[in-house]
């Protein structure tokens, strides 16, 4: 009984962590999406 | 409800919570994140290595140096004011701080390749809006005004605009929209994407969080300049901008192309009329006037020092006497134009030696010291005790 509860809690915690990670990753993707592909090239003249 | 359904529900709920937490961290980062021991924007904390300092980062740099009773001196402008040619310890803006003393807090927010009103001016504007005493020092060449958006550092304008940090100045946005209508499809798309990005960022603060992570913890994007160490946090990098070598090793670049650029400072801005001499051409003057009027809100003008940077004498002295006269007429004419709009405008470099220059336009350590001395005087005149 106890080990089954423990497994269920573990599975729930894993889902929470996975969900949080996906949410944070989506936030990071927004940053990457708006990052220019090429850096600015400065030529001194 | 079955356990499977509960698991899936928890998973789905955790996604927006994770996103919300990241947004909250981003919002917080915007209130404190800034480069530590900041002297200037060197290669590794600038768009040359895909690090795009956020507007709030620049604002934090300025505010962190301010205390009641101090005036913040914001340095904007291009590579000349960025101190390209001076090592970090000899940087002219550090000498300016020494000259001005405790009553002032000098912050060098200039970028290589920036136009006079990109970036730093917007920070000065935002600080002025908050009621802080501020002086803006920026530079350009005669005839060059440019917009706050549309070039490399234009992202800072949208960043500040969507976070409501700027004076209300409808002429500025109208001018930018008008320019966009005449621009190519690619430029229009780039601008639209910048605006979309800044609007989303004003809701979700992803630039604040991930630039903070990039500066403090790790960087996630490869680029040519950082190569195999691209993942290193940007606080680990040192300022390695070029430093002027010994005098005999300077001015080695092709003379004819340098002279071409030196002539280019005034060649299209004046015409010669027999018996009258050099006379300023009206169309470029009108373009410059419109841009000054549209890009700069009135309150910032009285607190701004525009420096018109001269070329090294080694090149100016090789111009014909007539070209030198034209240069003088153009410099004086454009300095007057800026003054008519309420700016303080000075021509700098006229009386500097070749030793004071690293190359045609950038200053060496000695040139930097002379510049600091001049600018300190101008700042004091603008802010009497």
């Amino acid at each position: 009984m106890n080990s089954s509860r423990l497994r269920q809690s573990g599975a729930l915690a894993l889902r929470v962590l996975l969900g949080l990670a996906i949410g944070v990753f989506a936030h990071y993707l927004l940053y990457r999406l708006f990052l220019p592909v090429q850096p600015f090239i400065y030529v001194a003249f | 409800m079955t356990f499977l359904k509960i698991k899936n529900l928890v998973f789905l709920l955790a996604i927006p919570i994770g996103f919300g937490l990241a947004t909250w961290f981003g919002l917080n980062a915007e209130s404190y994140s800034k480069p530590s021991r900041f002297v200037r924007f060197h290669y590794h904390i600038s768009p040359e290595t895909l690090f795009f300092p956020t507007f709030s980062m620049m604002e934090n740099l300025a505010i962190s140096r301010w205390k009641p009773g101090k005036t913040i001196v914001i340095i904007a402008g291009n590579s000349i004011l960025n101190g390209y040619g001076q090592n970090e310890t000899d940087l002219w803006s550090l000498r300016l701080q020494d000259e001005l003393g405790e009553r002032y807090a000098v912050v060098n927010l200039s970028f290589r390749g920036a136009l006079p009103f990109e970036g730093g001016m917007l920070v000065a504007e935002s600080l002025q809006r908050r009621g802080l005493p501020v002086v803006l020092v920026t530079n350009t060449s005669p005839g060059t005004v440019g917009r706050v958006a549309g070039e490399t550092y234009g992202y800072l304008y949208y960043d500040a605009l969507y976070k409501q940090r700027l004076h209300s100045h409808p002429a500025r946005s109208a001018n930018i929209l008008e320019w966009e209508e005449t621009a190519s499809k690619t430029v229009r798309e780039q601008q639209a994407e910048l605006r979309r990005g800044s609007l989303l960022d004003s809701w979700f603060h992803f630039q604040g969080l991930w630039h903070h992570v990039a500066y403090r913890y790790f960087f996630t994007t490869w680029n040519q300049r950082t190569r195999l160490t691209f993942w290193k946090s940007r606080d680990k990098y040192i300022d390695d901008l070029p430093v002027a070598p010994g005098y005999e090793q300077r001015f080695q670049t092709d003379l004819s192309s340098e002279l071409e650029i030196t002539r280019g400072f005034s060649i299209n801005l004046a015409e010669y009329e027999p018996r009258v001499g050099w006379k300023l051409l009206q169309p470029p003057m009108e373009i410059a006037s419109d841009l000054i009027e549209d890009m700069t809100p009135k309150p910032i003008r009285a607190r701004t020092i525009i420096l018109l940077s001269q070329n090294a004498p080694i090149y100016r002295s090789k111009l014909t006497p007539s070209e030198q006269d034209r240069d003088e007429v153009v410099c004086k004419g454009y300095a007057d134009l800026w003054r008519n709009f309420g700016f303080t405008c000075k021509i700098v470099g006229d009386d500097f030696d070749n030793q004071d220059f690293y190359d045609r336009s950038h200053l060496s350590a000695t040139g930097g010291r002379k510049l600091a001395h001049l600018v300190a005087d101008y700042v004091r005149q603008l802010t009497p005790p």
Side-chain angles (χ1 to χ4, degrees):
Chain A
M1 185 68 182
N2 268 350
S3 72
S4 146
R5 270 220 180 127
L6 208 64
R7 259 204 311 276
Q8 283 186 348
S9 309
L12 268 183
L14 202 69
R15 292 287 163 134
V16 169
L17 286 177
L18 191 64
L20 287 176
I22 290 174
V24 172
F25 185 67
H27 194 261
Y28 167 74
L29 279 185
L30 273 178
Y31 153 74
R32 281 301 298 267
L33 194 67
F34 291 102
L35 196 68
V37 180
Q38 292 291 331
F40 168 56
I41 298 167
Y42 170 68
V43 182
F45 70 91
Chain B
M1 199 183 278
T2 65
F3 181 65
L4 183 68
K5 277 186 179 169
I6 293 173
K7 266 199 320 191
N8 288 341
L9 188 67
V10 163
F11 171 65
L12 288 176
L13 277 174
I15 295 174
I17 292 173
F19 191 87
L21 276 173
T23 300
W24 182 76
F25 279 121
L27 180 65
N28 270 322
E30 279 177 4
S31 65
Y32 62 79
S33 180
K34 62 180 169 59
S36 42
R37 303 177 303 282
F38 177 80
V39 176
R40 64 174 159 186
F41 287 113
H42 58 76
Y43 286 136
H44 298 98
I45 48 171
S46 69
E48 283 136 301
T49 53
L50 288 178
F51 186 94
F52 290 75
T54 62
F55 182 79
S56 57
M57 221 174 227
M58 291 169 67
E59 208 177 36
N60 290 340
L61 281 169
I63 291 172
S64 66
R65 295 184 187 185
W66 181 76
K67 280 185 190 139
K70 279 193 179 198
T71 297
I72 306 174
V73 180
I74 302 278
I75 294 161
N78 60 27
S79 52
I80 300 174
L81 299 194
N82 185 248
Y84 193 87
Q86 297 150 32
N87 71 29
E88 208 184 29
T89 48
D90 282 331
L91 191 65
W92 81 278
S93 50
L94 295 180
R95 301 292 80 78
L96 177 64
Q97 179 67 75
D98 295 343
E99 291 239 7
L100 287 171
E102 288 291 299
R103 247 190 78 209
Y104 298 86
V106 178
V107 196
N108 192 334
L109 301 179
S110 57
F111 286 106
R112 293 165 294 288
L115 289 162
F117 299 132
E118 284 183 313
M121 179 194 78
L122 304 172
V123 175
E125 206 180 307
S126 170
L127 299 180
Q128 194 182 44
R129 236 180 119 239
R130 290 171 174 218
L132 299 181
V134 64
V135 170
L136 172 68
V137 180
T138 187
N139 75 325
T140 187
S141 56
T144 303
V145 180
R147 292 180 175 79
V148 289
E151 298 292 335
T152 308
Y153 305 98
Y155 75 94
L156 288 164
Y157 169 66
Y158 294 116
D159 190 0
L161 184 73
Y162 285 109
K163 287 177 184 146
Q164 286 156 17
R165 299 286 222 280
L166 304 178
H167 284 303
S168 166
H169 190 51
R172 180 161 54 191
S173 27
N175 182 302
I176 291 165
L177 285 177
E178 199 181 312
W179 159 75
E180 268 185 49
E181 279 167 19
T182 60
S184 68
K185 191 170 172 254
T186 318
V187 170
R188 282 204 305 275
E189 282 170 1
Q190 281 168 352
Q191 294 301 301
E193 187 174 315
L194 268 181
R195 276 197 298 272
R196 266 196 304 274
S198 298
L199 180 64
L200 283 175
D201 188 52
S202 69
W203 299 337
F204 302 125
H205 308 281
F206 46 88
Q207 298 290 0
L209 174 63
W210 297 104
H211 271 92
H212 179 66
V213 169
Y215 184 75
R216 288 268 171 236
Y217 304 103
F218 56 87
F219 199 73
T220 56
T221 316
W222 185 91
N223 71 86
Q224 187 64 31
R225 197 182 277 276
T226 49
R227 294 183 191 176
L228 289 176
T229 56
F230 78 89
W231 50 270
K232 270 169 66 179
S233 61
R234 293 307 171 90
D235 62 346
K236 303 277 191 307
Y237 287 92
I238 55 159
D239 181 334
D240 58 353
L241 281 167
V243 178
Y247 182 70
E248 60 288 349
Q249 287 166 275
R250 296 183 211 165
F251 311 113
Q252 304 287 320
T253 47
D254 178 50
L255 179 67
S256 61
S257 61
E258 294 292 356
L259 277 176
E260 204 58 37
I261 300 171
T262 308
R263 280 193 194 97
F265 262 50
S266 60
I267 198 163
N268 295 318
L269 302 176
E271 66 181 347
Y272 190 78
E273 276 188 19
R275 270 174 283 170
V276 178
W278 288 103
K279 207 177 138 207
L280 290 167
L281 281 167
Q282 278 317 297
M285 277 291 249
E286 281 161 17
I287 293 170
S289 299
D290 289 348
L291 281 171
I292 296 170
E293 178 66 37
D294 290 350
M295 290 302 122
T296 56
K298 284 200 171 73
I300 199 72
R301 294 181 193 169
R303 306 292 289 181
T304 301
I305 300 166
I306 304 280
L307 306 174
L308 296 183
S309 307
Q310 265 292 10
N311 291 301
I314 193 169
Y315 300 113
R316 278 189 291 124
S317 62
K318 289 191 171 66
L319 298 177
T320 63
S322 171
E323 286 172 331
Q324 289 181 17
D325 288 348
R326 183 185 64 206
D327 241 21
E328 200 182 321
V329 167
V330 164
C331 278
K332 276 190 182 155
Y334 277 86
D336 287 341
L337 176 73
W338 285 103
R339 287 180 198 125
N340 290 341
F341 278 95
F343 294 88
T344 299
C345 184
K346 306 282 180 183
I347 302 162
V348 292
D350 256 352
D351 52 351
F352 287 13
D353 306 322
N354 286 323
Q355 294 274 2
D356 300 327
F357 283 84
Y358 159 46
D359 56 20
R360 183 186 47 75
S361 56
H362 302 105
L363 300 174
S364 62
T366 58
R369 278 198 290 277
K370 285 186 182 173
L371 179 68
H373 188 67
L374 290 171
V375 173
D377 267 353
Y378 307 149
V379 170
R380 281 191 217 101
Q381 284 164 25
L382 212 58
T383 54

